[in-house]
Amino acid sequence: MDKDEILEKVKKITSEQLGVEESQITPEAKFIDDLGADSLDTVELVMALEEEFDLEISDEEAEKLITVQKVVDYVSNHLGEK
Amino acid sequence: MERRVVVTGAGIVSPIGIGVKEFKKALFEGKNGVRRITHFDPSSYRSQMAGEVRGLELKRYFSPKQIRRMDRFTQLGMIAAKEAIEQSVIDLNKENLNRIGVLVGSGVGGLSTIEKEQTILLQKGPQKVSPFLVPMLITDIASAQIAIEYGFSGPNFSISTACATGTHSIGEAFKIIHRGDAEIMITGGAEAAITPLGLAGFCSMRALSTRNKEPEKASRPFDRERDGFVIGEGAGIIILEELDQAKKRKAPILGEIVGSGMSADAYHITQPTTDGRGIRKAMEEALNNAKISGEEVDYINAHGTSTPFNDRAETKAIKSLFKENAYQIPVSSTKSMTGHLLGATGGVELIACLLAINEETLPPTINYENPDPQCDLDYVPNEARESKIKVAISNSMGFGGHNAVLVVKKF
């Protein structure tokens, strides 16, 4: 899976979880500041990403995933590790 | 001077109608809302029918995010609250929101959410359990969500007394305004416990009717052939308001709450006492609180669940309190039409009392076919009846032996 495909999937999941339009979900967008996520949203979003990409993301790693691009990079680097 | 408390709005989501208008029509037509369960396959259950809320388009009321993050009981409560607030024409920009509170209870809370997440726990492990599990299941969350939606920052909590929840909630909201802690209270009950686990639990108690071949005849309060209650879901929410404030803003006034009474059976976790002394005491307390004599009561909306125990005990209680006059007071159970909405029932039935007063019509007890010698009052059998009524009382009795009664008067 290349980064473009990952981005598309991340956009779709983010849109579903946070109830925002996909057009707002740019790579630079911050989940909390730009997309209106609260602390519970971010936990649920990480769980949805784990499910979609078959990953396990630790709390320490999850805290660093503040933008859409950071998620894409993380997924790209860790795909198939589990 | 004593503060008086009036009802200035009502909202309903019920098995016989969504919205007060539809509910009213069904109530006086004697329409039945009990059908075979569709929320899941009930084939393996002793009782396979329920009063489900049908035809509800959640998308009309909520965003996709709200749909996923609110348990059904909260959604039903929110929909009923919206109707009540709109009828009451509360201007959110004008009113002091610090003086508006919410007290909407649930007997069971977010049972469907618990079941869904328990399945995830067992299948996928604790890391996969939703962070929204707890804020979706707790019984106070309907009160919280209503406050968040409208910005009401007055008193906010919930009461949970099983099937007496709605009546206790309204009774306490009445007292809150009466003693001056708020000007307006959004109050009532919301319930959505028609779930695989919920139904299994009630079935195991042998509390439910098993008349599966005739669902529409299963809820038959006070009839000799009654064999248990029928589980229902929904919400009944009213707006209570201090009288002068309601007059000042020219709010519609649907009736006045003049008294509330409470008691405990202190007897058994689920069975009422055989003589109904608990509900008798609650009725007596409510009438004393309202400073109304037994002769003034024109209508009783009974708890009337359609279980053999309840209807007999409640009948005895009414006869014990009202003596010979008991035979002159019409008593009906609207559960014959709606099924038993558990924690929401008190809200729905108080609204039934208000409709009875304003429409000058008594709602019937449908499915009344075989008189029971132990239940020999005037149950308004099968057909609505015209009657000018000034004072009505609404009874509720919950598992745990909680009893609550409201007295409502024509305004």
Side-chain angles (χ1 to χ4, degrees):
Chain A
M1 204 179 322
D2 65 25
K3 283 201 173 184
D4 284 346
E5 288 174 79
I6 294 171
L7 177 61
E8 284 313 305
K9 282 193 173 177
V10 171
K11 274 187 177 178
K12 189 163 174 285
I13 292 167
T14 306
S15 166
E16 282 168 10
Q17 294 291 328
L18 302 182
V20 291
E21 294 293 325
E22 281 197 36
S23 58
Q24 286 178 259
I25 307 170
T26 60
E28 306 77 44
K30 291 179 176 164
F31 293 106
I32 293 176
D33 296 342
D34 299 327
L35 303 178
D38 64 23
S39 61
L40 298 180
D41 289 326
T42 58
V43 176
E44 199 183 45
L45 184 61
V46 168
M47 286 167 58
L49 293 166
E50 289 180 325
E51 183 82 18
E52 176 68 32
F53 297 107
D54 194 24
L55 291 170
E56 270 178 32
I57 307 173
S58 70
D59 285 355
E60 292 73 33
E61 290 293 341
E63 272 178 33
K64 296 178 201 159
L65 304 178
I66 57 172
T67 66
V68 174
Q69 187 62 50
K70 282 190 192 293
V71 168
V72 174
D73 293 343
Y74 181 90
V75 171
S76 174
N77 291 335
H78 293 83
L79 262 185
E81 273 186 7
K82 194 177 153 190
Chain B
M1 208 176 78
E2 257 196 34
R3 283 161 64 90
R4 293 168 66 184
V5 180
V6 290
V7 183
T8 60
I12 274 193
V13 180
S14 86
I16 59 167
I18 298 164
V20 173
K21 201 177 155 199
E22 205 179 300
F23 174 80
K24 179 170 84 181
K25 189 165 177 286
L27 189 73
F28 294 133
E29 282 174 2
K31 190 179 149 189
N32 194 291
V34 176
R35 304 278 184 281
R36 186 175 169 83
I37 287 172
T38 61
H39 288 352
F40 57 93
D41 177 10
S43 304
S44 55
Y45 289 73
R46 270 171 211 283
S47 178
Q48 301 171 0
M49 62 231 149
E52 292 177 334
V53 172
R54 285 174 294 271
L56 190 66
E57 287 177 61
L58 291 175
K59 281 185 205 157
R60 267 186 55 200
Y61 305 94
F62 303 109
S63 71
K65 195 167 156 177
Q66 283 178 308
I67 292 174
R68 279 195 295 123
R69 292 179 184 179
M70 282 183 203
D71 188 272
R72 185 171 170 84
F73 90 91
T74 301
Q75 292 167 350
L76 301 181
M78 293 277 284
I79 295 168
K82 182 171 190 281
E83 184 188 8
I85 290 163
E86 283 172 4
Q87 187 191 11
S88 182
V89 213
I90 297 172
D91 186 338
L92 299 175
N93 297 314
K94 260 192 193 161
E95 295 303 322
N96 179 358
L97 303 186
N98 291 316
R99 299 286 293 164
I100 305 180
V102 188
L103 175 38
V104 172
S106 177
V108 178
L111 193 55
S112 62
T113 301
I114 295 175
E115 289 175 38
K116 186 173 158 236
E117 297 299 326
Q118 169 76 359
T119 305
I120 291 174
L121 173 70
L122 295 177
Q123 290 178 351
K124 298 182 175 175
Q127 315 300 337
K128 301 295 181 192
V129 169
S130 169
F132 294 94
L133 163 67
V134 175
M136 282 170 77
L137 75 87
I138 48 183
T139 54
D140 57 299
I141 201 67
S143 287
Q145 292 281 19
I146 293 166
I148 292 165
E149 178 78 15
Y150 298 97
F152 301 142
S153 46
N156 191 295
F157 59 107
S158 71
I159 286 172
S160 189
T161 51
C163 307
T165 296
T167 301
H168 270 116
S169 298
I170 295 169
E172 284 311 282
F174 158 64
K175 295 281 168 76
I176 285 170
I177 296 175
H178 187 259
R179 68 174 181 253
D181 288 346
E183 301 306 319
I184 295 177
M185 290 294 293
I186 287 77
T187 182
E191 202 78 86
I194 307 170
T195 68
L197 187 63
L199 185 68
F202 284 112
C203 281
S204 290
M205 291 173 74
R206 305 294 191 272
L208 301 180
S209 169
T210 56
R211 195 183 285 266
N212 295 316
K213 287 187 177 145
E214 298 176 296
E216 70 285 355
K217 293 201 165 181
S219 186
R220 44 193 314 119
F222 306 109
D223 183 279
R224 195 182 62 228
E225 303 300 318
R226 69 189 182 276
D227 72 330
F229 75 84
V230 173
I231 190 170
E233 63 175 355
I237 308 279
I238 59 170
I239 311 296
L240 294 185
E241 189 161 356
E242 193 275 325
L243 175 62
D244 290 340
Q245 132 104 19
K247 277 183 175 165
K248 216 185 300 166
R249 69 176 189 91
K250 299 190 174 61
I253 295 179
L254 313 179
E256 179 175 4
I257 306 286
V258 289
S260 88
M262 300 182 271
S263 74
D265 285 352
Y267 170 68
H268 187 271
I269 52 171
T270 57
Q271 275 178 28
T273 57
T274 47
D275 59 1
R277 58 184 181 269
I279 190 68
R280 180 196 190 281
K281 179 166 183 289
M283 285 190 280
E284 198 171 16
E285 298 279 346
L287 291 174
N288 287 342
N289 181 234
K291 300 184 184 73
I292 276 180
S293 73
E295 288 76 43
E296 292 175 81
V297 174
D298 301 309
Y299 169 60
I300 298 174
N301 187 296
H303 189 54
T305 57
S306 182
T307 64
F309 278 124
N310 176 91
D311 299 358
R312 202 159 56 217
E314 193 173 5
T315 298
K316 277 189 182 163
I318 292 167
K319 290 202 283 196
S320 159
L321 180 62
F322 294 94
K323 306 283 187 296
E324 272 307 302
N325 194 39
Y327 295 94
Q328 314 305 320
I329 306 173
V331 177
S332 72
S333 170
T334 43
K335 288 185 183 76
S336 58
M337 294 174 268
T338 60
H340 188 352
L341 274 57
L342 311 179
T345 205
V348 169
E349 288 164 18
L350 199 269
I351 294 171
C353 288
L354 291 165
L355 291 170
I357 290 170
N358 291 314
E359 302 295 320
E360 302 186 340
T361 308
L362 302 171
T365 303
I366 67 165
N367 292 326
Y368 186 82
E369 294 172 333
N370 314 289
D372 175 349
Q374 297 197 72
C375 297
D376 56 352
L377 298 175
D378 170 9
Y379 300 111
V380 196
N382 302 316
E383 278 179 27
R385 184 191 303 164
E386 278 182 34
S387 177
K388 283 193 171 39
I389 55 177
K390 277 193 185 138
V391 174
I393 71 175
S394 181
N395 288 349
S396 290
M397 303 153 77
F399 285 159
H402 316 290
N403 306 296
V405 175
L406 295 166
V407 185
V408 57
K409 201 172 169 185
K410 189 179 177 73
F411 185 82

